[in-house]
Amino acid sequence: MIVPTKDLFRHAYGKYAVGAYNINNLEQCVGLFRGNLGKHESNEDSVDPSRSAPFIIQISRGARGYTDKRFLEAMIRAAEDIFPESIFAVHLDHGTEEAAYDCIESGFYSSVMIDASHEPFDKNIEITRRVVDRAHEKGISVEAELGMLGGVEEDIEVSEEHACLTDPDQAVEFVERSGCDSLAVAIGTSHGAYKFKGSQGLHFDRIEQIQKLLPNYPLVMHGSSSVPKEWVDRINQAGGNLPDTSGVPEKDYLPAAKLGVTKVNIDTDGRLVWCAIYRETFLAKPDNFDPRTPGKPFMAAYADYIAHKNQALGSAGQLESLREFLQPQPVS
Ligand code: G3H
Ligand code: 13P
Ligand code: ZN
């Protein structure tokens, strides 16, 4: 069931974080739904309530343009049908104004992100306000971004010296003036596989300061992949060439969630799982050229990875409680 993103946030806020996972293709879509229901293989009928989680499917502009945005929409609709127990939201990731309007008008998306974080403060507010007005008319919520994460996202690359943490006072003014429903904050993470060097890590002090000024307001952490060494090593052992690197430690997700980080964006980790499985499969079977040969183990591995991730986010086991929470209350 597709639900408004704000309903997921109301249930999760301060208790756990909702995983927001990017997808581009069918195998990722299937693995994602299975993983969020705690299923490993397609032939498992039963849903494991202790592993089931609400989630957000994120679609970037790159994903919308990879084949055709209508394929993604049709795939997600089919998955909703095939996995009727699931509860999830559909979200535009790193939207421009144009992409945001397209998604708002489509009637399919639960929420959109307008990312004008590269613009000066007032301009970022002005653009965000326009998108908020259009989105709210249709009951769609808006995520905006303030501060600059390092790394590459879509077609914009931000060097480490230009990345800057979100200023808490500015965050309050931004939310008030733009009317956005959630805010992506720069708190030390960056996009992609190369996040931290040495003792760098999440700036919990900054998250705390922002939450003090914006209590009960959902914050979003971009660049949240943990870049597990296990998957990087598997890629390299199967002929890849990724440098030694690290991401956000999974033990940091829940403490951040308790401080209001309600949406945690993960894309890179899924790509690493994909890359490792495809490399390993064809390396082990050099005479094979069937797309289903790596696709099948990938869907299972991705489902397992999602289920594991949801444990770290605290969202595993929350699906049935959310279902109850969303039931209309009887009028007494
Ligand atoms: O933040 C960016 C996401 O990882 C999406 O990446 O634009 O390559 O689809 P993409
Ligand atoms: P990662 O690159 O850490 O997976 O971040 C993804 C993201 O922020 C998508 O918006
Ligand atoms: Zn992002």
Side-chain angles (χ1 to χ4, degrees):
M1 176 171 58
I2 300 180
V3 297
T5 305
K6 57 178 182 302
D7 285 354
L8 299 185
F9 288 169
R10 279 195 298 124
H11 186 253
Y13 186 89
K15 294 195 301 248
Y16 65 92
V18 183
Y21 301 103
N22 291 70
I23 63 160
N24 292 273
N25 66 20
L26 176 67
E27 287 81 3
Q28 286 178 307
C29 182
V30 174
L32 184 61
F33 275 82
R34 284 187 197 160
N36 281 298
L37 293 175
K39 296 180 181 203
H40 170 77
E41 295 279 2
S42 56
N43 53 7
E44 269 176 62
D45 283 338
S46 64
V47 171
D48 180 348
S50 70
R51 282 156 56 95
S52 303
F55 62 105
I56 297 172
I57 298 185
Q58 304 207 117
I59 304 179
S60 70
R61 280 182 296 128
R64 281 160 58 84
Y66 169 54
T67 51
D68 187 299
K69 61 191 179 189
R70 289 168 293 185
F71 280 127
L72 292 171
E73 186 175 325
M75 228 162 58
I76 294 168
R77 287 254 185 249
E80 187 185 17
D81 213 31
I82 292 162
F83 302 97
E85 310 91 342
S86 60
I87 301 180
F88 62 101
V90 183
H91 176 79
L92 169 70
D93 190 27
H94 292 287
T96 55
E97 213 176 337
E98 191 192 358
Y101 295 150
D102 192 56
C103 294
I104 292 165
E105 298 309 323
S106 77
F108 179 64
Y109 286 71
S110 315
S111 52
V112 295
M113 177 185 189
I114 170 67
D115 182 0
S117 58
H118 48 280
E119 299 283 2
F121 184 65
D122 283 314
K123 182 107 182 146
N124 187 357
I125 292 178
E126 189 187 310
I127 296 170
T128 302
R129 180 83 245 178
R130 279 202 295 271
V131 173
V132 166
D133 288 343
R134 285 270 285 270
H136 285 184
E137 266 174 35
K138 303 255 177 192
I140 291 167
S141 53
V142 177
E143 173 185 327
E145 180 169 328
L146 181 66
M148 288 272 248
L149 273 74
V152 186
E153 77 200 27
E154 297 284 1
D155 41 3
I156 296 173
E157 181 165 356
V158 182
S159 66
E160 251 175 64
E161 85 242 36
H162 285 110
C164 66
L165 298 187
T166 303
D167 176 275
D169 293 315
Q170 276 199 339
V172 176
E173 185 183 343
F174 187 91
V175 168
E176 276 173 10
R177 286 176 55 197
S178 74
C180 63
D181 305 280
S182 60
L183 188 66
V185 285
I187 46 181
T189 63
S190 58
H191 288 107
Y194 315 108
K195 298 191 195 295
F196 299 132
K197 287 193 199 105
S199 61
Q200 288 175 325
L202 276 193
H203 290 255
F204 278 102
D205 49 341
R206 188 58 65 111
I207 310 174
E208 224 171 316
Q209 289 162 4
I210 298 171
Q211 195 207 22
K212 245 190 206 124
L213 299 181
L214 286 171
N216 298 313
Y217 186 86
L219 304 174
V220 179
M221 180 160 77
H222 282 246
S224 312
S225 282
S226 51
V227 195
K229 186 169 162 30
E230 178 206 340
W231 288 100
V232 173
D233 286 350
R234 281 175 67 168
I235 289 170
N236 288 343
Q237 278 154 19
N241 186 16
L242 300 182
D244 204 18
T245 175
S246 68
V248 179
E250 288 180 344
K251 66 169 181 39
D252 285 355
Y253 293 152
L254 254 185
K258 308 255 155 133
L259 294 171
V261 174
T262 315
K263 174 172 176 274
V264 164
N265 284 14
I266 295 165
D267 184 0
T268 297
D269 284 354
R271 295 178 183 203
L272 295 174
V273 174
W274 181 89
C275 181
I277 299 285
Y278 276 69
R279 278 188 176 278
E280 285 173 355
T281 306
F282 285 127
L283 195 66
K285 298 179 179 171
D287 57 340
N288 188 294
F289 48 88
D290 183 343
R292 294 168 299 193
T293 307
K296 205 162 185 279
F298 167 71
M299 290 186 281
Y302 191 46
D304 287 347
Y305 191 70
I306 295 289
H308 158 84
K309 218 56 185 175
N310 290 338
Q311 295 287 346
L313 295 168
S315 61
Q318 293 290 344
L319 189 66
E320 292 319 310
S321 150
L322 171 69
R323 203 183 306 284
E324 240 169 70
F325 177 80
L326 295 178
Q327 291 291 328
Q329 296 302 308
V331 190
S332 55

